[in-house]
Amino acid sequence: MDNEHITWMERTFDLAEEALKSGEVPAGNEVNETKNATRHAEIVAIDKVLKFSEENKLDSKAVFRQCVLYVTVEPCIMCAGALRQVEIPLVIYGCANDRFGGCGSILPVHSAELPSLGPSLQCISNVMAERAIQLLKDFYKGENLNAPENKRKVKNT
Amino acid sequence: MEEVSNCSGNDISSSCSKKQFTGEPTLMKQPEAVLDDVYYRSLELVDIFVCTIKDKKKTSEIVKNICKHLPLEKLSHLKRVRSNTNQVDELQIIVAENYEEDFLTNIWSDLCENNAVYCHVSKPYMVKVPALPPLTRQQYNNAVQYWPCSFHEDKRITRLLNRSFFNAEEVKCIHKNMEEAISVAKSSVYKLHIGAVIVDPKSDTIIAKSCDLRQGKHPLQHAVMVAIDQVATVQGGGMWQLSDKCSNNLQKETCCKEKGDKTGPYLCTGYDLYVTAEPCIMCAMALVHSRISRVFYGSPHPEGALGSKYKLHVQPGINHHYEVFCGVLQDHCHKLMSDIT
């Protein structure tokens, strides 16, 4: 594993741990504050790249093609589709997402024959996986305080 | 629901029942349910061993003994005994759910040696029987040509399959909402004409509607993604500030009453989506995350995720499932896509 990748993954974990402290899912997402369940960290990051490109008068397509996405958990099916559409070539992630994973765990959206979606997405998995799993465990100990009373799951930990 | 209905535009009618539907009769076709592949699977046969009961007076004793020593596990949908259709007045009984030669030399010969009742049945021989339990009336009718099966008809599935699920009023309402999606699709400034409308079916109110903006500044702004974000905006959240004319102008201030009200709507729970084209995998999963209740779409897409390439709504392992119907005003919706100049 490239040292550069490790450095960026460490930075990614720092951000996720920060998010956990503020009550969000530990992947840097904005679901609760926006009341939009599609605001996963990957989508937020894509929005930021688009904004960055616009502000710096760069072609966003060209910017995405030079990007690597570092994320603590395997992107979900939606995000894998989104990443292919913006043509990010590579994603590096910590642990698998057994509930929604779109890079092989539930569906292999990253490599499936979907030409109109965009080119396939290369994935490197299991990078600092133990830290990623611990982060998720810490999150699921808490409950989602933004869900309505009747939808909220009570955790008996 | 009062606040929510304020959020929709003035031009949106609040009740479909009052509106006279003037379309041609073919437009009133029921939407087609997109069900799990298991409901469409064709008959699969498997080879098993059966015996002919030679002395019918001994049937009860034979059945009791065979069921005890040779229970069925995989083929529990099959009736144990049938009257042979070729030979009148002859009964056949299943003795093994596999067709393996060592059954005769090992298990069967042991049983025959130790129990006199086995002299009243023939030597086991092979027949073909349905491998899987029938789930639909049609599958049942095909299966019983080979061997009698037990079948518990799911009336809901039957009505979905034979397109008698919705009443005339509901079909009108579905078409009215799809017409709304078609009209928003046409309002796009971009070449790609796809429209999406999110409706609260309880009050028949449009919560959000948008055309497809992916050909603009943001490649992820598919009509469905924008409509989902508009629902969030109505609920006091939202992310994308849209100036485009083809997304409706939601009156945020009237909707902000919802903010902080934990008993109010949660994401798209209980809402229906109408979209002119089959959603892609990203949008289909976004709808899972958003807890949509039902999806109605017009024309299929070869890479679509709700019936064509995938059936994400029935994908095992996923925590939320929604109902999907296709073919709603399909010709009109298809025309939107082919109109691209």
Side-chain angles (χ1 to χ4, degrees), chain A residues 34-36 47 85 116 148, chain B residues 218 222 229 235 238 262 303:
Chain A
T34 60
K35 297 179 191 287
N36 179 338
D47 267 8
Q85 282 181 83
S116 74
Chain B
H218 200 308
H222 294 196
D229 195 59
Q235 293 170 0
K262 299 279 179 184
E303 291 178 31

Side-chain angles (χ1 to χ4, degrees), chain A residues 52-142:
Chain A
F52 169 87
S53 307
E54 200 182 346
E55 283 170 2
N56 293 283
K57 299 196 166 52
L58 296 165
D59 173 17
S60 63
K61 273 196 168 186
V63 175
F64 279 121
R65 282 190 199 122
Q66 295 175 56
C67 284
V68 177
L69 175 83
Y70 298 90
V71 60
T72 56
V73 186
E74 175 189 355
C76 80
I77 290 165
M78 172 189 72
C79 291
L83 293 165
R84 282 186 64 165
Q85 282 181 83
V86 298
E87 302 189 18
I88 284 185
L90 174 64
V91 52
I92 295 176
Y93 63 85
C95 63
N97 183 342
D98 298 330
R99 299 165 74 203
F100 307 123
C103 301
S105 291
I106 302 289
L107 282 180
V109 176
H110 66 303
S111 61
E113 180 70 20
L114 294 164
S116 74
L117 200 63
S120 63
L121 175 66
Q122 197 201 330
C123 295
I124 300 175
S125 59
N126 273 313
V127 179
M128 302 164 74
E130 280 167 24
R131 193 171 167 189
I133 291 163
Q134 189 55 51
L135 195 59
L136 277 177
K137 278 184 186 164
D138 290 347
F139 170 73
Y140 284 114
K141 275 180 201 160

Side-chain angles (χ1 to χ4, degrees), chain B residues 148-201:
Chain B
C149 299
S150 49
F151 171 56
H152 306 285
E153 186 170 14
D154 182 334
K155 290 277 163 62
R156 197 171 166 281
I157 293 294
T158 303
R159 290 195 299 135
L160 286 167
L161 281 169
N162 65 21
R163 298 209 192 182
S164 56
F165 189 70
F166 298 106
N167 64 36
E169 206 62 43
E170 290 167 326
V171 175
K172 264 190 207 175
C173 203
I174 289 163
H175 286 159
K176 182 204 69 175
N177 288 324
M178 190 57 88
E179 281 171 2
E180 203 68 57
I182 292 169
S183 115
V184 73
K186 285 178 180 165
S187 73
S188 176
V189 296
Y190 305 109
K191 283 180 184 171
L192 185 62
H193 284 180
I194 298 173
V197 175
I198 293 176
V199 176
D200 180 356

Side-chain angles (χ1 to χ4, degrees), chain A residues 30-31 33-40 42-43 46-47 50 54 60 64 76-79 81-83 85-86 98-100 106-109 112-118 144-153, chain B residues 214 217-220 222 225 228-233 235-240 258-260 262-267 269 280-283 285-291 301 303-304 309-310 312 315-319:
Chain A
E30 296 176 347
V31 166
E33 59 196 271
T34 60
K35 297 179 191 287
N36 179 338
T38 72
R39 299 300 298 170
H40 288 190
E42 296 88 335
I43 308 293
I46 287 170
D47 267 8
L50 286 167
E54 200 182 346
S60 63
F64 279 121
C76 80
I77 290 165
M78 172 189 72
C79 291
L83 293 165
Q85 282 181 83
V86 298
D98 298 330
R99 299 165 74 203
F100 307 123
I106 302 289
L107 282 180
V109 176
E113 180 70 20
L114 294 164
S116 74
L117 200 63
N144 184 358
L145 296 169
N146 291 300
E149 300 283 355
N150 58 342
K151 302 269 176 186
R152 204 181 290 171
K153 285 180 190 158
Chain B
R214 81 183 78 171
K217 283 181 181 170
H218 200 308
L220 304 187
H222 294 196
M225 295 294 277
I228 288 171
D229 195 59
Q230 285 180 348
V231 172
T233 305
Q235 293 170 0
M239 190 58 211
W240 289 325
E258 303 271 342
K259 206 172 184 177
K262 299 279 179 184
T263 61
Y266 178 62
L267 305 173
T269 301
C280 73
I281 190 72
M282 172 183 73
C283 291
M285 191 62 196
L287 293 163
V288 171
H289 290 314
S290 302
R291 303 289 186 270
H301 186 279
E303 291 178 31
K309 173 86 180 176
Y310 300 107
L312 191 70
Q315 176 75 35
I318 285 190
N319 66 343

